[in-house]
Amino acid sequence: MSDAPTSISPENCRGCKACLQSSSIGEVIAASGDVTDHNTPAVHRGVWVFAEQHQGKMREVAYELLAAGRGLANECGCDLAAVVLGHNIAHSAAPLIAAGADRVLLVDHPELARYEAETYTDALCQLIVRHKPEILLAGATAVGRAFLGKVAIRANTGLTADCTALSVDPSMCLLHQTRPALGGNIMATIMTPHHRPQMATVRPHVFKANVPDPARAGQTLVEALELAPATFRVILSAATKSSLNIADADIVVAGGRGLKKAENLVLLHRLAEHLGGVVGVSRACVDYGWASAARQVGQTGKTIRPKIYLAFGISGAVQHIAGIRGAETIIAVNSDPHAPIFDVADLGIVGDLTVILPALLEALGAQSVPNSGQP
Amino acid sequence: MHIVVCLKQVPDTANVRINPETNTLMREGVESITNPFDEYALEQALRLKNSHGAKVTTLTMGPPQAEVVLREAIARGADQGFLISDRAFAGADTWATSYVISRAIKKLNPAVDMVFFGKQAIDGETAQVGPGVSEFLNYKLVTYARSITVGADGRFTAETLMDEGMEVVEGPLPVVVTVLRDGPLPRYATLAGWMRARHAKIPVWGVTGLGVVPELCGLKGSPTRVMKIFVPPGKTGGIRMDGREMPSLAVEAILKILRDKGVSK
Ligand SMILES: Cc1cc2nc3c(=O)[nH]c(=O)nc-3n(C[C@H](O)[C@H](O)[C@H](O)COP(=O)(O)OP(=O)(O)OC[C@H]3O[C@@H](n4cnc5c(N)ncnc54)[C@H](O)[C@@H]3O)c2cc1C
Ligand SMILES: Nc1ncnc2c1ncn2[C@@H]1O[C@H](COP(=O)(O)O)[C@@H](O)[C@H]1O
C-alpha cells in the first residue's frame, strides 16, 4: 500500500491500477480530478462469483450464484470463475467446478481462516487488480454485505445490494440488477455503466443451484497473496441461530388470535424448526402476551420478505398485510371463508388450524417435542 | 474520545403507499423519521458519553429539512450536529454518499476515534455506507454490533451478530461500527435536552465547506444508475380450497408448495 501514488494525472494514467491499492482512493482520485479513466470497461473480462465458505464449508448461496453466473457468462461469451478465500480450502474447488465454474481461484492463507473485513477486502481487491473481472457477484450474507461495501470503494466501482433478479445486455456485458427498496414497496433496476467490475450482492435462495455435474472440466488456480495480519481478536463466539431475526428469515410460520391459546404456539415452533424457519405473530398475540414484540409482523412490527409465509389463524388486517407484501408465497389457513388474508394468499385453505396444523406436522414427521425457543 | 454518529432521515416506509395509476410514491402524509437503526447507534454513543465522557457529534447528509434529526439527537444528549447539504449532493449512491460523509468526518476536531452507523437505512436498505466510509477513512470495520464498550486500555470490544451467531471482537481504535436494532432501546429526549437542541447552532457544510471534488459528489460521482423503478406485481390471491371436509388434501397442497420451493423433501 505504501507505494501507491499520492496523485495521478489523467494524461499519465497507464491503467496500472496501482492507485486502486490505495485505501484512500477518494483522495487519490480527488487529487487528480479524474473520475473516468480508472477502470476502463474494455480491459475487464469474465464473470466472478465470490464463493463464501465458513470453516471449510461452502455456503449454499455460492452454488446458487454459480447457476446465475453461468447464464450471464454464456450470454456474454466469457468465462465463469469462483473465488474462494480461506485456509485449508483445496477441497472446495471440485464442487464449484461441478456447479458451473470454469475456473476456481483459491487463496489459501492463514490470515483468511477467519473472516475479517480488512483482510477479505485486501485479498479480493488484489485479485480484482490482477485479473480484472467484468462482473462480480456475492451472496447478500452477513459477510458479503459487509466487506463488499469496502471492496466497491477500493475498486472504485458501483455495488448493488440485495438483488433479486439479474440479467445482462450481452452487447456490452451490461448487468441489469433488480432489487427491492422501501420495504419491498418498489423495485429498482440498477446498472453500473462506466465502472468495472459491476458488483452485486444477491439474496440467498433467489437462484436455484444447478444439479452438480462431476464430469465438468475446470481449472483450479492457486493464487498467492501477501496479506497483513488481522487486527481484531475474537474473544468469544457462540453459535446461536438468531431465532428472533424474523426480518431476514426465508420461512416464517406465523399465528394469530385464531390460535386461541398460547400453548398452540408450540405447534408453530415445531413447524418452524422443522422447516428451518422462524415464528412470527400478529399483533393480537403480542397484545395477549403470547409472544414478544420482536416477532410481530406488520406495520408496527417487522416488514418481512420471506420465500414462504404461513399464516395460521390470522385475519389479514391491512396493518398486518403491510408487513408481508414482499413475501414470495403466502399460505393461509383460516376458518373464516371471508377472511381478508385470502385476498393475498397464494394458497388459501378454509379450515381449522387445530386440525390442519397437527396433520401437517405429522405428514412432515415433525412430531418430536421441540425446545420451544424464545417467547 | 470523539464519536461520530451518522444519522439518515428516511420516509417511514411502513406508511409508504404507491399510487396504482401512476406507479409513483405517494409521499403525502408520509412522515420523515430518523432511520430506526441509527437511533440504536446513537444510543451506543450516548452510553459511551456517560461512561467515558466521550464527545458525541452527529452528522446527516440530506436536504435542509433533515436538520431535525440532528436537533432530535441533541435533545437526546448528543453534543453537536452538522448538516451536510448541497444541491451537488443530490442523487448520490452509496459510493458518493460514503465519499462526502468521510470528508466531513475528516474535517472534524478533535480527530474522530469511532464512527457509528445504523446497520442499514430502511429506505435504501443497502448497508453499504458504513463499510464505504470505513474504506475512505482507512478505519477498520465492525459490522452488526449490538453493543460497543471501550476498555481502560483504549481498545474497543463489540458484541456482534453474524450468520453463525454471536461474536465478541476486540481491537484498537479508530474504528467504524454498524449497529443493529438489537441492543438497549434508544433513550427519550428530555425537556432540558429539547431546550438545548432548539438553541443549538447547526453548521451546514456544502461542496466548498468540505473541499470535496464536485465530480465525485451526487449523481455525477455515482457509479450506479437507477434505470427503472416499478411496483412489484401485487398479490391477488391464488388457489382457494376448502380444508374442512378433507384436511389431508389441504395438507397435501401445503406440502407441494414446500417441496416446490425446496424446503421439504
Ligand atoms: C395503528 C395500528 C397498527 C397496527 N399494527 C399491526 C401490526 O404491525 N401487525 C399486526 O398483526 N396487527 C397490527 N394492528 C392490529 C390489526 O389491526 C389487527 O387487529 C390484528 O392484526 C389482528 O390480529 P389477528 O389476525 O391475529 O386477529 P383477528 O383479526 O382476531 O383474526 C383471528 C383470525 O383467526 C381465525 N380463526 C379463529 N379460529 C380459528 C381456527 N380454529 N382455525 C383457523 N382460523 C381460526 C378467525 O377466523 C380470524 O380470521 C395494528 C392496528 C393499528 C390500529
Ligand atoms: N445521507 C446520509 N446521512 C447520514 N448518514 C447516512 C446517510 N445515508 C446513510 N447513512 C448511514 O449509513 C447507514 C447505512 O445506510 P445504507 O447504506 O443506505 O443502508 C445508515 O444507517 C446511516 O447511519
Side-chain angles (χ1 to χ4, degrees):
Chain A
M1 252 179 231
S2 50
D3 54 20
T6 49
S7 73
I8 300 164
S9 61
E11 315 84 70
N12 297 342
C13 174
R14 290 169 293 117
C16 71
K17 297 215 166 48
C19 58
L20 300 187
Q21 298 274 24
S22 162
S23 346
S24 46
I25 183 74
E27 218 123 275
V28 177
I29 300 170
S32 72
D34 169 29
V35 220
T36 48
D37 276 0
H38 279 273
N39 36 22
T40 342
V43 301
H44 288 251
R45 198 86 188 115
V47 176
W48 279 15
V49 166
F50 169 69
E52 182 187 339
Q53 56 84 33
H54 179 72
Q55 294 175 351
K57 195 168 170 291
M58 193 53 62
R59 288 209 191 281
E60 219 33 61
V61 67
Y63 301 120
E64 297 163 13
L65 292 182
L66 283 173
R70 187 70 263 164
L72 300 173
N74 290 351
E75 280 203 62
C76 296
C78 63
D79 269 7
L80 174 66
V83 177
V84 192
L85 308 181
H87 190 38
N88 300 327
I89 43 165
H91 63 278
S92 57
L96 294 169
I97 291 170
D102 299 313
R103 281 179 303 142
V104 177
L105 309 186
L106 284 182
V107 185
D108 193 321
H109 197 292
E111 288 299 335
L112 295 169
R114 191 185 78 74
Y115 160 78
E116 186 176 309
E118 188 58 39
T119 28
Y120 264 49
T121 302
D122 190 14
L124 190 53
C125 285
Q126 289 193 42
L127 294 180
I128 291 173
V129 170
R130 199 177 277 178
H131 297 288
K132 305 178 183 54
E134 174 124 57
I135 290 175
L136 170 58
L137 308 177
T141 59
V143 165
R145 292 187 96 206
F147 90 101
L148 270 276
K150 282 174 80 75
V151 171
I153 302 300
R154 200 175 297 184
N156 185 22
T157 189
L159 168 60
T160 305
D162 285 346
C163 297
T164 54
L166 296 172
S167 61
V168 71
D169 169 357
S171 62
M172 289 156 78
C173 204
L174 210 52
L175 191 62
H176 297 226
Q177 310 158 109
T178 299
R179 69 181 301 264
L182 284 169
N185 285 296
I186 59 166
M187 305 292 289
T189 301
I190 292 168
M191 288 193 217
T192 305
H194 305 300
H195 296 70
R196 296 292 177 273
Q198 306 166 74
M199 294 186 15
T201 61
V202 180
R203 296 190 55 178
H205 311 306
V206 166
F207 295 104
K208 231 178 133 158
N210 290 333
V211 177
D213 172 7
R216 257 188 66 86
Q219 200 185 0
T220 302
L221 302 167
V222 176
E223 298 276 338
L225 299 181
E226 267 182 53
L227 299 171
T231 31
F232 296 161
R233 256 180 349 118
V234 175
I235 48 184
L236 181 73
S237 112
T240 47
K241 270 260 202 58
S242 54
S243 57
L244 279 187
N245 195 358
I246 67 166
D248 294 332
D250 282 324
I251 299 165
V252 176
V253 180
R257 200 194 314 264
L259 291 170
K260 301 271 171 51
K261 49 184 185 196
E263 292 81 78
N264 280 334
L265 269 162
V266 173
L267 301 175
L268 297 185
H269 279 288
R270 203 174 289 170
L271 181 58
E273 197 155 295
H274 187 84
L275 299 176
V278 297
V279 169
V281 294
S282 72
R283 166 123 148 221
C285 296
V286 177
D287 290 345
Y288 286 142
W290 296 350
S292 83
R295 294 195 187 277
Q296 182 180 317
V297 176
Q299 183 181 314
T300 43
K302 300 259 165 68
T303 300
I304 61 173
R305 237 182 277 125
K307 291 209 78 139
I308 304 183
Y309 185 69
L310 293 113
F312 293 95
I314 292 177
S315 61
V318 286
Q319 296 90 350
H320 188 84
I321 302 292
I324 59 171
R325 228 180 274 125
E328 212 169 276
T329 302
I330 297 173
I331 302 175
V333 177
N334 195 302
S335 52
D336 173 7
H338 304 294
I341 188 97
F342 289 136
D343 297 339
V344 297
D346 299 276
L347 173 63
I349 293 167
V350 181
D352 187 345
L353 71 89
T354 60
V355 175
I356 293 183
L357 195 45
L360 179 61
L361 287 168
E362 193 182 334
L364 285 166
Q367 289 299 303
S368 65
V369 181
N371 79 54
S372 63
Q374 293 142 281
Chain B
M1 199 184 339
H2 189 185
I3 305 176
V4 168
V5 186
C6 294
L7 303 167
K8 185 178 188 188
Q9 189 182 46
V10 294
D12 188 353
T13 52
N15 293 316
V16 170
R17 296 285 171 273
I18 306 294
N19 181 334
E21 263 114 63
T22 59
N23 264 4
T24 51
L25 283 183
M26 310 204 313
R27 291 223 175 229
E28 312 83 69
V30 177
E31 222 186 321
S32 285
I33 56 172
T34 302
N35 181 41
F37 288 93
D38 304 354
E39 296 188 323
Y40 284 80
L42 176 64
E43 179 59 30
Q44 288 299 320
L46 294 177
R47 283 171 178 247
L48 287 165
K49 176 176 176 171
N50 292 352
S51 58
H52 289 68
K55 174 173 181 176
V56 176
T57 298
T58 56
L59 289 185
T60 192
M61 178 174 119
Q65 59 268 30
E67 194 200 84
V68 301
V69 309
L70 301 172
R71 290 202 192 275
E72 197 180 303
I74 293 170
R76 287 180 180 186
D79 294 299
Q80 55 177 351
F82 292 87
L83 174 66
I84 307 168
S85 193
D86 195 306
R87 281 250 164 93
F89 299 158
D93 73 356
T94 53
W95 198 102
T97 302
S98 306
Y99 168 61
V100 170
I101 289 180
S102 64
R103 278 323 190 84
I105 292 168
K106 281 195 180 172
K107 213 176 128 78
L108 291 169
N109 270 314
V112 173
D113 303 294
M114 302 175 111
V115 189
F116 290 178
F117 290 85
K119 175 200 163 201
Q120 61 187 37
I122 61 168
D123 55 349
E125 297 185 308
T126 75
Q128 275 162 214
V129 172
V133 169
S134 91
E135 186 59 28
F136 274 118
L137 290 177
N138 201 11
Y139 283 17
K140 298 290 188 285
L141 172 69
V142 173
T143 45
Y144 319 126
R146 278 176 171 154
S147 65
I148 306 111
T149 54
V150 175
D153 54 358
R155 293 167 70 90
F156 76 90
T157 301
E159 185 182 324
T160 68
L161 207 58
M162 298 298 282
D163 282 336
E164 284 68 39
M166 197 256 281
E167 221 174 64
V168 179
V169 293
E170 185 267 359
L173 302 180
V175 71
V176 165
V177 186
T178 76
V179 179
L180 297 171
R181 219 157 32 158
D182 273 47
L185 293 177
R187 69 194 59 192
Y188 290 113
T190 60
L191 198 60
W194 275 117
M195 297 295 286
R196 202 155 33 84
R198 228 183 41 202
H199 299 294
K201 249 185 81 82
I202 308 264
V204 182
W205 287 346
V207 167
T208 28
L210 289 174
V212 289
V213 180
E215 286 73 27
L216 298 177
C217 299
L219 191 61
K220 268 198 224 155
S222 297
T224 63
R225 286 280 178 280
V226 177
M227 308 307 290
K228 189 171 79 171
I229 286 185
F230 59 100
V231 179
K235 290 226 164 276
T236 47
I239 309 162
R240 184 91 62 102
M241 60 191 297
D242 198 322
R244 282 172 292 198
E245 295 296 324
M246 295 278 279
S248 59
L249 287 183
V251 167
E252 207 25 71
I254 297 175
L255 289 175
K256 182 171 182 318
I257 291 183
L258 296 179
R259 274 194 302 268
D260 289 352
K261 294 274 171 188
V263 292
S264 150
K265 271 147 216 115

